[in-house]
Amino acid sequence: MTTSGAPRHARDALSTRRLSVREANTVAVLRAIMVLSSASQARLARWTGLSQATVSGAVARLQQNGLVEVGPNRDERGNRVRCAPMIGAAVGIELAHDRVVVALRRVDGGRVLHQSSVHGAGEGKELWAGTAVAMVDDLLDTLGMDRNDIVSLGLGVPTPVEHQPPWEKALIEYLPDVQAVVDNLGNMAAFGEYLHGTEHDDDVLLLAVHASHEVDAGLVFAGRVWRGASGHAAALGHIPVEPAGKRCRCGNRGCLETLISGPHLIDQVRQAHLGRRSDLPTILDDLVTRVHAGERVYARVIQDAGHALGRVLGEVFLVVNVDTVVLGGDLGRAGDVLAEAVRRGWTCTVPASMETVDPPVRLRTSRLGRAAAASGALAFALADAPSGWSA
């Protein structure tokens, strides 16, 4: 089906004021189509948790109103549904300690656009918030839109969501009409990896590690972020590894974060070259670049970090039988050097008999790189923040 006339505005189509149950279900289906870009009705039913009959009725109403197009392609699951041309932009922002990354795309599909800046949470809200909104404005201009066309805003932050300062308040000055959906960087990155970073069935359990200045992680099962009973699921960086080790920012000693975070790895390199070199890296990204240049000390530092991470991931696997593990953040850029070390650490923990399962656990480095958390935040907010399942 094709639409005629001026495109509708997504804000009108997604309005949730005074909706009946049927209308609310229709909006939920439309949001799912926007997130997935194109999907069969069977997949929309799984994604929304609605019955196939409910989804079929919602798609028919959306098609009648010129909001979606159905077919003509068919796959083994039926006709695919996609958004009709529509005005509106979805935004995702990653707020890390040392950077801000913005992802933005049209709600009716198309390529996700990205920009990044080195001004992160560590430099104060005035700087990071102003920088983030300036990048949003630039990307909107690329699409011929402005701030009035933003329909959703996701914000990934470097702290557990229930303990965070009100990061989103820094954006209100610039975007007073857009309510941000906020979650931890690890959850946002995991959601991005689940949607865009790997090919899999919808019902897989995916664990994504986001290791940069801090170490975050997230679990996604069947399209939902899994937070556990109190919201602390996948707090991988704070699993104790060395009981008498360094003090962690969480208050404990020897957490995984004290072994594999950016500041720790930089310190390891500096100690190795103490008094011998002056051209030493100051951020993890530079250290990883030296690994790819073939410098052995840098590679060994990454290998030790990977081994420690692999042991912890093996312990997690023995409790939560994940299908896919994604290694991301700046540490993930180390590629095969990291992945091979993680596998060695993994085999120190996981019995060999459990490695014969079919299919085996898929372990790989991120294909989204620095775009993972921002892309996940974009989709997470556009989906109207689907709630995670409690343990």
Side-chain angles (χ1 to χ4, degrees), residues 323-337:
D323 300 284
T324 301
V325 176
V326 183
L327 309 174
D330 287 337
L331 187 61
R333 290 188 54 248
D336 290 343
V337 174

Side-chain angles (χ1 to χ4, degrees), residues 328-359:
D330 287 337
L331 187 61
R333 290 188 54 248
D336 290 343
V337 174
L338 174 69
E340 290 171 8
V342 168
R343 289 189 183 96
R344 287 196 296 271
W346 177 285
T347 58
C348 292
T349 305
V350 178
S353 60
M354 294 186 182
E355 288 293 290
T356 61
V357 295
D358 185 26

Side-chain angles (χ1 to χ4, degrees), residues 60-132:
R61 290 188 292 276
L62 291 168
Q63 187 178 18
Q64 184 177 15
N65 291 327
L67 295 172
V68 302
E69 301 173 350
V70 181
N73 323 357
R74 281 185 65 89
D75 58 20
E76 68 280 3
R77 298 174 182 176
N79 286 324
R80 300 188 69 81
V81 186
R82 60 185 179 275
C83 277
M86 195 177 304
I87 298 170
V91 179
I93 299 175
E94 174 193 354
L95 172 60
H97 177 83
D98 55 355
R99 71 168 62 98
V100 173
V101 182
V102 172
L104 186 147
R105 75 164 171 85
R106 297 178 59 96
V107 295
D108 55 6
R111 185 168 59 94
V112 179
L113 306 177
H114 297 94
Q115 277 196 22
S116 62
S117 167
V118 295
H119 302 301
E123 298 189 54
K125 66 179 183 180
E126 291 80 7
L127 187 54
W128 78 255
T131 300

Side-chain angles (χ1 to χ4, degrees), residues 133-219:
V133 174
M135 290 191 289
V136 169
D137 285 339
D138 189 46
L139 294 175
L140 284 169
D141 186 63
T142 300
L143 297 178
M145 298 186 191
D146 59 33
R147 296 181 192 179
N148 293 321
D149 297 319
I150 297 174
V151 300
S152 60
L153 171 63
L155 177 63
V157 297
T159 53
V161 68
E162 67 277 10
H163 295 154
Q164 66 186 0
W167 299 104
E168 71 275 18
K169 288 187 177 180
L171 297 171
I172 291 176
E173 175 185 347
Y174 305 95
L175 304 169
D177 298 325
V178 183
Q179 183 176 357
V181 175
V182 187
D183 210 324
N184 175 258
L185 280 179
N187 288 336
M188 293 301 199
F191 199 61
E193 295 289 356
Y194 178 90
L195 277 176
H196 306 298
T198 184
E199 295 180 0
H200 54 70
D201 293 331
D202 284 339
D203 59 351
V204 303
L205 175 59
L206 177 144
L207 170 65
V209 181
H210 189 74
S212 294
H213 190 274
E214 302 91 6
V215 178
D216 297 292
L219 279 165

Side-chain angles (χ1 to χ4, degrees), residues 205 316-324 357 361:
L205 175 59
V316 172
F317 172 79
L318 293 176
V319 178
V320 184
N321 192 182
V322 296
D323 300 284
T324 301
V357 295
V361 173

